[in-house]
Amino acid sequence: MSDTQNTVLSIRNLTIDLPEGGDRPHAVENLNLDVKRNEIVCIVGESGSGKSITSFTTMGLLPRVLKPSQGEVLFEGTDVLKLSDRQHSKLRGNRMAMIFQEPMSALNPCYTVGDQIEEVFATHSSMSKSERRARTIKLLDEVHLPEPERIYHSFPHQLSGGQRQRIVIAIALAMDPALLIADEPTTALDVTTQSQILSLFKQLKETHSAGIMFVTHDFDVVAEIADRVVVMQKGLVVEQGTADEVLNRPKHPYTRQLIDAVPRRTREAPPSIEGNEVVMKVVALEKTFHTARTLFAPARTVKAVQDVNLEIRKGETLGIVGESGSGKSTLVRCLIRLTDIDDGAVWIGGKEFSRIPRGQLHDWRKKIQIIFQDPYGSLNPRRTIGDQLVEGPVNFGVPRKVAMQKARELLRIVRMEQDALHRYPNQFSGGQRQRICIARALMVEPEILIADESVSALDVSVQKEVLNLLAEIKEEMGLTMLFITHDLRVAAQVSDNIVVMNKGQIVERGNSDQVFSNPQNEYTKKLLAAMPGQGWEVPDIAALERAGA
Amino acid sequence: MVRFILTKLVMAAMVALTVSIISFGLVYMAGDPAIALAGETATDEEIAVIREQYGFDRPIPVQYLDWLGNAVRGDFGISYYYNMPVSDMIFSRLGTTVTLGLCAISFALLISLPMGVLSAIKPNSLLDRVAVFIAVVGEAIPSFWFGLLLIVLFSINLGWLPASGSDSWQSFIMPTIVLGYYATPALMRLTRAGMIDVLSSDYIRTAKAKGLRPRKVLFKHALRNAVIPVVSLAAVQMGFMLGGSIVTETVFALHGAGFLAWQSISRNDLSTMQALILIFSMFYIVFTFLADVLNAWLDPRLRSG
């Protein structure tokens, strides 16, 4: 087979215009890229880089307001930009297929998953009903779903996120497409599920001899599966090459910046916090959720937090790591008394915080502050940043003028301009908003700061920036921090000590290096083994730059 | 699904029982019914006679059970005002009201579903604007005024349709339009909003990515999801039309149950009021039950609730 026959997708000089008034004239500019058979090409870039637009253009799913103005998208030799919608839809789901980011909402809740897979056969082939069914069952087996017969009759809401993503993959694989486009297919999944899906992709590359275009923002994922890498920034391809070249010897400053932001595998030993006073102590904390018994359904109980014991010393950063459903968020809610605890106690600074009467709680709230996951949802869109910053201290009796002064000071600390005080949240990016949220939490001078997945929603380079900022502020203000995350690498990078939670219990605890390099618990070992990019040692960008490469 | 239907049935029965207690209790909330019946000038003896005659002297639970037992068999007692069996009065008129209600809700759905869907496919298009215009007018025009306009045009000027009565199917055309138009705006808006929401959802994108034709994406994948809240609203509207079509019935001199309700309220005819409240409430309960079952059939996630 010659090289051209091997090329499934060849994008040439593609430019897509953005509607007037955007932050730049083109969503994608002069893009060139190839995807060959049996090859995984990763497109990497941060949000807004144009990577998703590229995949939607190829699939013909671009929103109407966006129009390719130049170039061609050659799929098996045909320019799909010249196809009518009807012709394009004959290729979709048939010769080219796509897998999306959000498995929870990618399937129609009203139909069984078997029905939704079969529909692809019904659309693109003349198979009989029984043949379609047999093929569907076979596909379910191929994407490693247990009991294909049972899954066939299941509705999406009866399946987990990972299982749903396998269904979406099965839909994509049904007609044995030549091109598979995956848009952040593992971003919404837990690390162990991600690892299984990624190995499924590696397998598919061989068994289906398809070309795979894999869009991601995560360099660890790239290191795990990519044959070739395309790096995009603001609609432009800034670098492309083999995985080895791009990951280990990045040339473009932007690629270097992105790789430099990848959390390190190791870190230097933190200053000792041994002997510092204990600021927060959690004793045998229990929280169980009950659904009330009704006439028709028996009561159900979920043990969200079981027998959790913790000690946090002044100046310490304690990482709490766990997958979704591990109970880490419930634990946080119990600690700050957003939820009442069933049993046990939370001590803060020698006072039993969990038993303070509701009426007196107000004064104690300022000792402990929290930064949430979603920087978009946690600021009121209709009030100025200044208003939202001073609200806390004013609430505690600080005169507004003094509070405003403090707000200015904090904006400086989180490296924001003073005029942000008079602006509204929608005028800021996700990273800026998260910095505002940090400032907001610090306004009442808390002793303990809780960061609940506070960097998970951010791009890697922004994530690094926010993490550095948190570390600096912590140092400067002598804060104690609880860092809740699902990402082991991020936890290891920022924490002195780590606890790993699984099914509401702490299964492992120790200092970061210890947990990381010598895990004792089976679950922790499983989590660590599931982390993508194991074989990749992140290059020392500073050294590369010194060498002038 | 069977379990779901049984659960809902039991719940509907319990609601029905509660409603029956309330509608029975209404008689006593309005004061001593014997005094009300006897009139302002009645002597104590006269009141006592009436009390005994109508059985008001028995313990209230006994009266309730007696009344409920009869009601289940379709016997609502004698109208205090007309002095004839309440059930005869109601059932002779209920046919008119039910016919009108069913016609009107069908008319409303036939207008609002297609227009809601079409305007959601192309928001801000000419058709969308026309739909919004129809909806706004529908909300703004009072039913009686719209009814009179229709009578002036079709009965008086053109002479096509009868202006009043309920003798032929032609008599129902204008009332259907008036009552149906009243329910149309809300149903249309809900369909439109639901469709817009569903069409931008991830699973519609998945359906398109499968290469399905637009028609199939629209009807198989989008409409089924979008129509669920519309079903619930239509059930409530239907109940409302049966009980609240007084204005329309009056304008077109359709002597239905709505008209009877209005009469019995103004004449303090307690036993008729009791019976009508019970029957109208039962309609609500039945339609809500049917809507719940239909929605559970549409969306499997609702079946476990």
Side-chain angles (χ1 to χ4, degrees), chain B residues 116-117 120-121 190-200 218 222-223 226:
Chain B
V117 170
I121 296 172
L190 201 61
T191 310
R192 179 178 181 272
M195 272 311 263
I196 287 178
D197 194 39
V198 168
L199 283 175
S200 65
L218 197 64
L223 192 57

Side-chain angles (χ1 to χ4, degrees), chain B:
Chain B
M1 190 73 184
V2 176
R3 189 189 161 77
F4 172 83
I5 293 175
L6 286 177
T7 307
K8 285 285 171 190
L9 261 181
V10 172
M11 276 161 62
M14 289 194 304
V15 174
L17 208 62
T18 314
V19 167
S20 75
I21 292 173
I22 294 172
S23 55
F24 175 78
L26 281 178
V27 175
Y28 292 91
M29 281 175 216
D32 188 334
I35 296 175
L37 277 176
E40 282 167 26
T41 55
T43 61
D44 286 353
E45 289 78 42
E46 283 169 334
I47 292 172
V49 170
I50 285 177
R51 190 168 285 148
E52 199 181 341
Q53 188 188 339
Y54 286 93
F56 292 136
D57 53 345
R58 295 172 299 163
I60 289 178
V62 173
Q63 288 185 52
Y64 167 69
L65 288 176
D66 189 38
W67 173 78
L68 187 67
N70 288 333
V72 169
R73 275 179 271 124
D75 174 8
F76 292 101
I78 307 291
S79 161
Y80 306 147
Y81 184 82
Y82 292 101
N83 224 353
M84 58 189 282
V86 172
S87 44
D88 289 358
M89 278 174 14
I90 292 179
F91 290 122
S92 66
R93 292 160 190 238
L94 213 53
T96 308
T97 301
V98 170
T99 312
L100 177 60
L102 287 175
C103 288
I105 195 78
S106 310
F107 174 79
L109 287 172
L110 278 174
I111 301 277
S112 56
L113 281 179
M115 292 210 78
V117 170
L118 287 172
S119 52
I121 296 172
K122 285 192 176 168
N124 300 322
S125 63
L126 181 67
L127 190 115
D128 187 23
R129 278 156 213 264
V130 170
V132 168
F133 177 76
I134 291 177
V136 169
V137 170
E139 272 165 348
I141 291 192
S143 293
F144 74 88
W145 174 245
F146 185 48
L148 291 177
L149 283 182
L150 288 184
I151 289 175
V152 168
L153 181 63
F154 291 106
S155 305
I156 298 176
N157 287 346
L158 297 171
W160 290 354
L161 295 168
S164 65
S166 54
D167 313 323
S168 64
W169 62 269
Q170 284 103 327
S171 315
F172 283 94
I173 293 179
M174 287 193 295
T176 296
I177 294 173
V178 171
L179 195 58
Y181 189 29
Y182 180 78
T184 302
L187 290 170
M188 186 156 69
R189 279 168 197 274
L190 201 61
T191 310
R192 179 178 181 272
M195 272 311 263
I196 287 178
D197 194 39
V198 168
L199 283 175
S200 65
S201 70
D202 286 353
Y203 54 82
I204 292 302
R205 189 178 59 186
T206 308
K208 286 181 189 159
K210 285 195 228 174
L212 301 189
R213 300 295 305 146
R215 190 187 303 256
K216 192 139 195 199
V217 173
L218 197 64
F219 289 110
K220 182 173 174 191
H221 287 275
L223 192 57
R224 184 163 173 166
N225 282 284
V227 89
I228 288 166
V230 180
V231 170
S232 306
L233 178 66
V236 176
Q237 299 258 29
M238 182 70 203
F240 176 79
M241 282 177 182
L242 290 180
S245 56
I246 307 168
V247 174
T248 314
E249 287 184 11
T250 311
V251 170
F252 293 99
L254 282 173
H255 285 213
F259 191 68
L260 181 65
W262 177 71
Q263 278 181 319
S264 62
I265 292 168
S266 53
R267 285 162 184 165
N268 215 2
D269 188 356
L270 284 173
S271 56
T272 313
M273 261 156 67
Q274 256 181 348
L276 282 170
I277 289 168
L278 189 66
I279 289 172
F280 289 149
S281 311
M282 292 307 133
F283 277 133
Y284 265 101
I285 292 168
V286 169
F287 288 124
T288 311
F289 168 72
L290 290 178
D292 282 348
V293 172
L294 179 57
N295 276 344
W297 174 75
L298 287 170
D299 185 346
R301 286 172 299 180
L302 299 173
R303 284 171 211 168
S304 50

Side-chain angles (χ1 to χ4, degrees), chain A residues 56 61 86 89 92-93 100 102 105-111 115-116 119-120 123-124 155 157 171 296, chain B residues 3 7 10-11 202-203 205-206 208-213 216 220-221 224-225 298-301 303:
Chain A
F56 284 128
L61 295 174
R86 193 181 190 106
S89 77
R92 275 203 295 271
F100 303 95
E102 218 3 286
S105 55
L107 295 168
N108 192 327
C110 291
Y111 297 98
D115 197 25
Q116 296 188 53
E119 204 174 24
V120 183
T123 311
H124 296 293
F155 288 99
H157 72 275
I171 288 173
F296 313 104
Chain B
R3 189 189 161 77
T7 307
V10 172
M11 276 161 62
D202 286 353
Y203 54 82
R205 189 178 59 186
T206 308
K208 286 181 189 159
K210 285 195 228 174
L212 301 189
R213 300 295 305 146
K216 192 139 195 199
K220 182 173 174 191
H221 287 275
R224 184 163 173 166
N225 282 284
L298 287 170
D299 185 346
R301 286 172 299 180
R303 284 171 211 168

Side-chain angles (χ1 to χ4, degrees), chain A residues 7-306:
Chain A
T7 305
V8 184
L9 179 71
S10 175
I11 300 180
R12 293 282 159 256
N13 305 319
L14 179 69
T15 299
I16 299 169
D17 295 345
L18 279 175
E20 306 241 337
D23 62 336
R24 57 176 199 254
H26 308 292
V28 168
E29 198 176 341
N30 214 8
L31 176 94
N32 286 287
L33 79 90
D34 289 305
V35 181
K36 297 190 179 65
R37 255 174 232 295
N38 301 84
E39 178 184 61
I40 298 182
V41 176
C42 279
I43 306 186
V44 202
E46 302 191 296
S47 41
S49 61
K51 54 194 191 328
S52 291
I53 298 226
T54 307
S55 38
F56 284 128
T57 310
T58 311
M59 287 294 287
L61 295 174
L62 214 52
R64 276 173 225 268
V65 289
L66 297 174
K67 287 256 182 298
S69 58
Q70 176 200 312
E72 45 190 13
V73 177
L74 296 169
F75 173 73
E76 296 186 315
T78 323
D79 184 3
V80 297
L81 297 183
K82 295 208 175 73
L83 295 180
S84 71
D85 193 48
R86 193 181 190 106
Q87 288 166 321
H88 209 149
S89 77
K90 285 194 175 126
L91 292 176
R92 275 203 295 271
N94 186 10
R95 300 298 302 148
M96 52 166 74
M98 187 156 178
I99 297 154
F100 303 95
Q101 173 168 4
E102 218 3 286
M104 299 312 274
S105 55
L107 295 168
N108 192 327
C110 291
Y111 297 98
T112 63
V113 297
D115 197 25
Q116 296 188 53
I117 300 174
E118 268 191 43
E119 204 174 24
V120 183
F121 294 122
T123 311
H124 296 293
S125 77
S126 51
M127 284 180 207
S128 70
K129 172 88 185 138
S130 60
E131 213 175 331
R132 294 203 295 259
R133 190 190 142 94
R135 286 285 296 271
T136 303
I137 301 276
K138 199 164 148 264
L139 266 175
L140 290 173
D141 192 46
E142 196 188 337
V143 295
H144 305 301
L145 279 162
E147 302 175 67
E149 288 283 349
R150 181 180 62 82
I151 300 273
Y152 180 89
H153 294 288
S154 300
F155 288 99
H157 72 275
Q158 295 165 324
L159 304 178
S160 70
Q163 287 176 322
R164 290 188 212 187
Q165 195 62 305
R166 284 168 203 270
I167 300 290
V168 177
I169 294 175
I171 288 173
L173 289 179
M175 296 303 293
D176 222 342
L179 175 68
L180 200 57
I181 300 176
D183 189 357
E184 305 260 11
T186 60
T187 308
L189 303 173
D190 271 331
V191 57
T192 43
T193 320
Q194 163 170 294
S195 144
Q196 292 159 6
I197 300 280
L198 289 180
S199 58
L200 183 60
F201 270 101
K202 283 194 274 189
Q203 216 178 330
L204 294 177
K205 178 180 78 167
E206 303 305 330
T207 51
H208 282 253
S209 72
I212 300 176
M213 188 159 110
F214 196 106
V215 175
T216 181
H217 69 282
D218 186 341
F219 269 96
D220 287 321
V221 170
V222 175
E224 189 70 30
I225 59 163
D227 295 309
R228 283 194 308 117
V229 184
V230 176
V231 184
M232 286 185 75
Q233 181 194 20
K234 294 181 181 158
L236 290 167
V237 171
V238 294
E239 179 158 3
Q240 58 177 309
T242 65
D244 175 51
E245 282 165 7
V246 177
L247 289 173
N248 298 319
R249 294 177 299 282
K251 292 193 185 65
H252 193 274
Y254 180 68
T255 319
R256 288 182 170 183
Q257 185 200 333
L258 286 180
I259 290 180
D260 199 32
V262 174
R264 291 300 117 121
R265 275 65 176 147
T266 52
R267 58 180 294 222
E268 57 265 44
S272 177
I273 40 107
E274 290 290 319
N276 286 4
E277 55 168 321
V278 174
V279 289
M280 183 185 231
K281 192 172 163 186
V282 179
V283 188
L285 187 79
E286 300 268 347
K287 177 71 196 178
T288 308
F289 289 108
H290 304 273
T291 58
R293 195 181 71 86
T294 64
L295 210 52
F296 313 104
R300 282 190 313 155
T301 56
V302 179
K303 289 193 170 177
V305 177
Q306 290 179 66

Side-chain angles (χ1 to χ4, degrees), chain A residues 253-420:
Chain A
Y254 180 68
T255 319
R256 288 182 170 183
Q257 185 200 333
L258 286 180
I259 290 180
D260 199 32
V262 174
R264 291 300 117 121
R265 275 65 176 147
T266 52
R267 58 180 294 222
E268 57 265 44
S272 177
I273 40 107
E274 290 290 319
N276 286 4
E277 55 168 321
V278 174
V279 289
M280 183 185 231
K281 192 172 163 186
V282 179
V283 188
L285 187 79
E286 300 268 347
K287 177 71 196 178
T288 308
F289 289 108
H290 304 273
T291 58
R293 195 181 71 86
T294 64
L295 210 52
F296 313 104
R300 282 190 313 155
T301 56
V302 179
K303 289 193 170 177
V305 177
Q306 290 179 66
D307 194 27
V308 164
N309 292 283
L310 288 175
E311 261 186 20
I312 308 160
R313 289 173 187 281
K314 190 165 174 53
E316 174 179 354
T317 300
L318 178 70
I320 300 180
V321 183
E323 295 190 286
S324 52
S326 62
K328 55 191 195 307
S329 292
T330 308
L331 176 62
V332 169
R333 294 180 67 83
C334 289
L335 295 184
I336 57 175
R337 285 194 63 177
L338 286 178
T339 303
D340 284 327
I341 64 175
D342 293 340
D343 206 0
V346 179
W347 293 78
I348 294 178
K351 175 104 181 167
E352 196 175 350
F353 184 66
S354 50
R355 295 234 186 286
I356 295 172
R358 288 238 160 249
Q360 296 165 32
L361 199 57
H362 182 71
D363 292 336
W364 284 82
R365 287 250 192 240
K366 66 177 181 184
K367 284 188 180 292
I368 181 161
Q369 285 291 313
I370 185 162
I371 308 160
F372 293 99
Q373 172 167 8
D374 179 10
Y376 292 91
S378 43
L379 291 171
N380 186 336
R382 300 196 198 287
R383 302 186 60 196
T384 61
I385 302 301
D387 264 356
Q388 301 192 50
L389 287 180
V390 300
E391 191 175 23
V394 167
N395 203 13
F396 284 108
V398 176
R400 198 179 156 87
K401 254 201 161 137
V402 180
M404 268 300 179
Q405 197 50 46
K406 172 117 188 131
R408 278 194 201 97
E409 165 75 9
L410 274 169
L411 279 181
R412 188 187 58 74
I413 291 177
V414 299
R415 289 192 219 100
M416 300 272 299
E417 298 294 327
Q418 302 283 309
D419 66 351

